[in-house]
Amino acid sequence: MKVHAVISRAIDELTVEDVELEAPRAGEALVRIHAAGVCHSDLHTYRGELRTTPPVVLGHEGAGIVEAVGPGVTRVKPGDRVMINWLPSCLECPSCLAGRPTLCERFPATTIQSLMPDGTMRHTTQDGLKLKPYLSSATMAEYAVIHQNGLVPIPDDVHFAVAAVIGCAVMTGVGAVLNTAQIAPGSAAVVIGCGGVGLSALLGCVLAGCDPLIAVDVVPSKLDFARELGASHTINGREEDVIKRLRDITRIGPDYAFDSVGAAVTIKQALMGVRAGGTAVVMGMHSLKEEVPISAAALIAQNKRLLGCFAGQSRPLVDLPKLISLYRSGKLPVDKLISHRYALDEAQQAFADLEAGKTARGVLMLD
Ligand SMILES: [Zn+2]
Ligand SMILES: [Zn+2]
C-alpha cells in the first residue's frame, strides 16, 4: 500500500514522500498511526551518528489503531488502540527469559540495525530505493507494520500523543530512576539535559520524592520548563560552573546524577558531580563516536558507581502499561512534556526545532 512517510534517503537528507509498504506477515499487525514522537535518536540517525544509517523510514515513538493483523497474531486485534514498543523482543532467548528483554539477543542483528524482527525491510520509494524501518517501527508514516511483541494496548482515555511519548522518552527517563538507580525516597538528585528523556527522568525523580531536585541545561526556556515540572533548583551549564553549583546546593554533591545527553562533558559532570559513594546513570545516546575519559580515582577512591542504562532497563510489556497507569492516576503528568505538535509534512520544522533546543517534546500528529 502507498503511505506518506518521513524518510531519509542519505545522511543529512530528510523528505516526506509517498512510499510503498508491504502487508503484515505472520505475527505482525498493520497500525494506522495517529501520533509519532520526535526523538533525538531519529535526529542522530539521519545525521549518520548512530548504528542505523539511511536510507530509512524514521520514527520509533508512536501510537494508533490496529487496522489488520497477519496470521498467528494473538496479542492485538483490529480496532485496538495501541502504543508502539520499539523493542519487540523475542521473549524466548536467555536474556528475555531472564527478565532483560531490552537486551534481547535478537536485537543486534535486527532491531538495532533497523530491520524487522525477521531481518527484512518492507518499504520502497517510488523510484525503487529499499528503506529500513527505523528500530523495527518506522512510525513517522500514515501506517506502520509492527511485530505483535512491539504493540501494547492502551485505554480509550489516553491520548495517542501521550502514549507515543511514553513509549520511548518516558520509558527511558523514568526507567533510569526506578529500574536502574532504584532511587531511595528523599534522595538528592540532578538531571543533566532537559529534553524529552531528561524531563521524563525529572518526573521520575518527583515520583520518587527527590529533594533537592536539580536540573541542568544550557537553554533557559528548558530550565523554566524543568521548574514547572518540579525541579527545586536549576543550573545553566553554559553560564555557571555545574560542579561548584551542585556543591553549593547539596554541600557534598547529590546522591544521584542522571545524564540524558550522553556527551563526554556531561557524563564527566554526572560522575564528578555526585557525592562520594553516589551513583551516576548515563541514559542518553549522543553519538557512537563519543569516548569518555573517566577518573579512576573518582570511581575507586570515592566509591562512585557509573551505570549505563539502555531504554530505562525496562521490561516494556510490563512497564509500559504501568507508566500508562501512573499517567492516568495523575502521578506522572507526561502530557506536560508535549510542547509542540506538527503535521507529518512539517517534519523538517519539527527536527529543526528539536535541534535548536526549542522543544521539550514535539509530536507529529496524523489525526
Ligand atoms: Zn526515542
Ligand atoms: Zn529475546
Side-chain angles (χ1 to χ4, degrees):
M1 68 189 293
K2 193 179 282 183
V3 301
H4 208 45
V6 180
I7 73 168
S8 176
R9 287 172 170 263
I11 289 173
D12 288 335
E13 278 183 29
L14 189 79
T15 51
V16 187
E17 37 185 293
D18 288 340
V19 300
E20 201 60 33
L21 171 62
E22 290 178 33
R25 299 180 188 174
E28 300 171 352
L30 178 70
V31 179
R32 166 87 174 88
I33 299 293
H34 284 256
V38 183
C39 181
H40 265 106
S41 303
D42 297 287
L43 175 68
H44 290 310
T45 292
Y46 91 79
R47 293 272 182 238
E49 295 164 344
L50 292 182
R51 192 85 54 88
T52 300
T53 49
V56 60
V57 180
L58 291 169
H60 59 288
E61 296 184 357
I65 297 175
V66 174
E67 188 118 327
V69 297
V73 170
T74 53
R75 302 185 62 86
V76 295
K77 59 184 185 307
D80 282 358
R81 299 173 91 251
V82 291
M83 66 190 293
I84 277 69
N85 155 35
W86 57 273
L87 291 160
S89 52
C90 74
L91 308 181
E92 290 171 358
C93 73
S95 293
C96 282
L97 292 174
R100 297 188 291 269
T102 54
L103 301 178
C104 174
E105 292 167 20
R106 188 173 68 188
F107 288 159
T110 59
T111 298
I112 303 302
Q113 305 287 343
S114 289
L115 299 169
M116 294 297 284
D118 68 1
T120 62
M121 294 184 252
R122 308 297 176 78
H123 302 79
T124 315
T125 62
Q126 300 295 308
D127 54 350
L129 180 66
K130 281 271 185 196
L131 303 165
K132 297 168 204 167
Y134 189 45
L135 296 175
S136 306
S137 303
T139 53
M140 290 186 181
E142 291 168 300
Y143 291 87
V145 168
I146 308 282
H147 190 277
Q148 62 172 338
N149 293 352
L151 295 172
V152 175
I154 55 173
D156 287 343
D157 60 0
V158 176
H159 195 278
F160 291 119
V162 168
V165 172
I166 287 177
C168 178
V170 175
M171 179 173 79
T172 300
V174 176
V177 175
L178 301 184
N179 301 331
T180 304
Q182 298 183 357
I183 206 163
S187 302
V190 58
V191 175
I192 302 173
C194 296
V197 170
L199 290 172
S200 294
L202 195 81
L203 289 179
C205 287
V206 172
L207 186 67
C210 288
D211 181 51
L213 177 51
I214 307 156
V216 180
D217 205 289
V218 295
V219 181
S221 61
K222 288 190 169 183
L223 293 174
D224 293 341
F225 212 75
R227 266 185 194 279
E228 280 172 37
L229 293 179
S232 60
H233 301 74
T234 56
I235 302 173
N236 185 322
R238 186 165 287 153
E239 295 170 358
E240 300 171 89
D241 181 335
V242 174
I243 306 292
K244 182 177 177 305
R245 284 275 286 128
L246 288 174
R247 294 288 183 278
D248 290 345
I249 298 164
T250 61
R251 195 174 62 80
I252 55 172
D255 304 302
Y256 295 90
F258 297 92
D259 171 48
S260 69
V261 182
V265 57
T266 57
I267 293 171
K268 282 184 79 171
Q269 269 171 2
L271 184 63
M272 300 316 288
V274 291
R275 64 164 167 80
T279 301
V281 178
V282 181
M283 58 186 176
M285 184 77 89
H286 183 65
S287 168
L288 288 181
K289 296 160 196 156
E290 203 76 45
E291 298 271 343
V292 189
I294 296 287
S295 160
L299 279 177
I300 299 161
Q302 295 189 43
N303 217 41
K304 293 188 180 184
R305 296 194 302 162
L306 179 63
L307 304 177
C309 168
F310 174 59
Q313 220 171 319
S314 304
R315 292 164 300 158
L317 298 181
V318 178
D319 289 349
L320 290 175
K322 198 182 288 181
L323 293 169
I324 291 273
S325 176
L326 285 167
Y327 162 69
R328 291 176 84 207
S329 66
K331 294 188 174 73
L332 204 59
V334 297
D335 52 325
K336 291 185 186 164
L337 296 175
I338 301 168
S339 58
H340 292 66
R341 288 176 167 80
Y342 307 87
L344 192 69
D345 281 311
E346 295 171 326
Q348 301 256 18
Q349 188 61 49
F351 279 108
D353 288 351
L354 178 70
E355 206 162 19
K358 288 183 187 169
T359 56
R361 198 49 148 200
V363 177
L364 305 180
M365 299 302 303
L366 297 94
D367 288 314

